[in-house]
Amino acid sequence: MQIDNIIITGRMYRELEAAWPGVTGKQVRFLAESEVSEADMAWADAFVGFKPVPAFHLESVRWVHALGAGVDAFVYRKPWKPDVLLTRTTGSFGQKIGEYCLSHMLADLQHHEAFARSRSDRSWNPIPPLPLSGSRVTVMGTGSVGQELARMLQALGVEVSGVSMRGERKPHMDHVYPMKYIGEAVSTADWVINTLPLTAQTDKLFGPALFARMNGAGFINVGRGPSVDYAALLEALDQGHLRLAVLDVFEEEPLPDASPLWKRKDVRVTPHVAAVTSVEEALSGFLDTLRKLEAGEQELANRVDLVRGY
């Protein structure tokens, strides 16, 4: 595939322009999302960004490259031309998400918030820490992120179960359940961690029926916000099916001021930072894919399966 004209947009477009090494024969327009026009889209062979811009269309574009790991902004419930290639950024997301999850799990088990309150009150309150080793964690999603997360947890003595559509065995997971047994998979878990992409199968997957199968678990969502029914999550916390929710992604971002999630002591809110794409990852991933495309390589590990949606 020959690519000559490239639009690069998104929140880091200025940083990418500053780091751009120059590629012979390529014309590149670095634009803010609000600046991309229909004429720009008609000019471009390739569109690079985190999500579609208001002027986004596929009439002339031959390749779209997502700067993040998720592509639901481009394809979920949206039309797509099957002859337009869609690729995504891959990198150290599994390690980043693993460290994010471990930080919150350990902070909970080590009672960080309670000790912070004790410090402000100048009270001596020796609560014994709880061990991570021996706990049971169910990871929703057994792709590269889920497997790296499982590897990190298993190394610390955690029993890790996975959930995927077909239930195929994966490295570093003691058990893998097919989606039809998801209730069983979460029923004995101390922690349930969602890493799944957003698809028709995962939209509002975490709803009343699934939360009801949990027994005082901690829940971490580093997948996609629309996978969670938030009214059901709050009810699950009130009823004791969940004891804690750590949420990094939301249906609406930024999370609105009026959201009840802000006020809950049993909810931790972070602003979509579990696996931030670095400029280096974004640039190297794009340039590597461009090189492979122009060399005629057919096997692209970061190609999106448009049927699956990820």
Side-chain angles (χ1 to χ4, degrees):
M1 180 185 294
Q2 181 63 37
I3 299 296
D4 298 315
N5 302 329
I6 304 166
I7 290 172
I8 296 180
T9 186
R11 64 175 182 268
M12 59 173 64
Y13 79 98
R14 291 189 185 278
E15 292 91 338
L16 289 169
E17 183 174 16
W20 184 253
V23 181
T24 302
K26 309 302 176 194
Q27 297 185 72
V28 185
R29 296 179 182 177
F30 294 90
L31 300 168
E33 291 176 340
S34 61
E35 295 174 346
V36 179
S37 68
E38 291 189 8
D40 291 318
M41 292 300 305
W43 166 84
D45 300 314
F47 175 91
V48 183
F50 286 97
K51 60 184 179 181
V53 297
F56 184 81
H57 61 75
L58 296 172
E59 279 76 5
S60 303
V61 170
R62 304 172 66 197
W63 171 36
V64 174
H65 181 74
L67 289 175
V71 295
D72 51 277
F74 289 102
V75 298
Y76 184 55
R77 293 182 174 176
K78 295 180 174 67
W80 192 267
K81 289 178 65 179
D83 59 340
V84 177
L85 174 68
L86 177 60
T87 59
R88 64 188 184 91
T89 300
T90 58
S92 58
F93 297 124
Q95 180 180 344
K96 291 176 181 178
I97 284 176
E99 291 176 358
Y100 173 93
C101 293
L102 278 170
S103 73
H104 286 279
M105 295 166 74
L106 290 170
D108 176 60
L109 295 167
Q110 298 282 334
H111 311 297
H112 285 191
E113 291 215 352
F115 292 137
R117 291 193 296 270
S118 295
R119 181 184 178 186
S120 64
D121 297 337
R122 298 185 180 182
S123 60
W124 190 262
N125 187 21
I127 309 169
L130 299 171
L132 179 62
S133 177
S135 60
R136 292 166 295 191
V137 176
T138 295
V139 178
M140 311 293 294
T142 62
S144 59
V145 169
Q147 289 177 43
E148 177 61 15
L149 172 58
R151 185 194 67 79
M152 297 171 72
L153 292 169
Q154 199 174 62
L156 295 172
V158 175
E159 180 183 328
V160 183
S161 295
V163 176
S164 67
M165 292 304 297
R166 293 184 293 272
E168 297 172 351
R169 292 299 302 269
K170 295 292 182 178
H172 311 297
M173 294 185 174
D174 299 286
H175 313 280
V176 179
Y177 295 84
M179 191 67 79
K180 63 181 179 180
Y181 295 126
I182 189 173
E184 181 180 343
V186 304
S187 64
T188 60
D190 299 302
W191 293 88
V192 176
I193 303 175
N194 178 42
T195 72
L196 291 165
L198 179 62
T199 66
Q201 290 75 33
T202 65
D203 196 340
K204 299 298 182 294
L205 174 66
F206 294 89
L210 187 55
F211 282 132
R213 296 295 301 272
M214 300 183 194
N215 292 286
F219 174 63
I220 302 177
N221 189 18
V222 287
R224 283 293 180 258
S227 291
V228 176
D229 178 334
Y230 291 94
L233 180 140
L234 292 172
E235 185 176 357
L237 288 165
D238 290 338
Q239 293 181 350
H241 296 300
L242 293 179
R243 60 180 179 78
L244 173 69
V246 179
L247 307 174
D248 186 56
V249 288
F250 303 90
E251 195 156 24
E252 182 180 351
E253 296 182 4
L255 185 65
D257 292 346
S259 171
L261 296 170
W262 287 113
K263 299 179 180 180
R264 299 282 304 221
K265 293 183 178 180
D266 47 9
V267 175
R268 311 283 184 266
V269 171
T270 60
H272 205 146
V273 294
V276 177
T277 305
S278 69
V279 172
E280 294 74 21
E281 284 174 326
L283 189 58
S284 65
F286 169 70
L287 291 174
D288 182 62
T289 306
L290 175 63
R291 178 187 61 78
K292 290 177 179 178
L293 281 178
E294 297 203 317
E297 295 187 26
Q298 298 299 312
E299 296 298 323
L300 297 174
N302 61 339
R303 181 194 293 265
V304 173
D305 184 325
L306 295 173
V307 175
R308 290 185 176 184
Y310 56 89

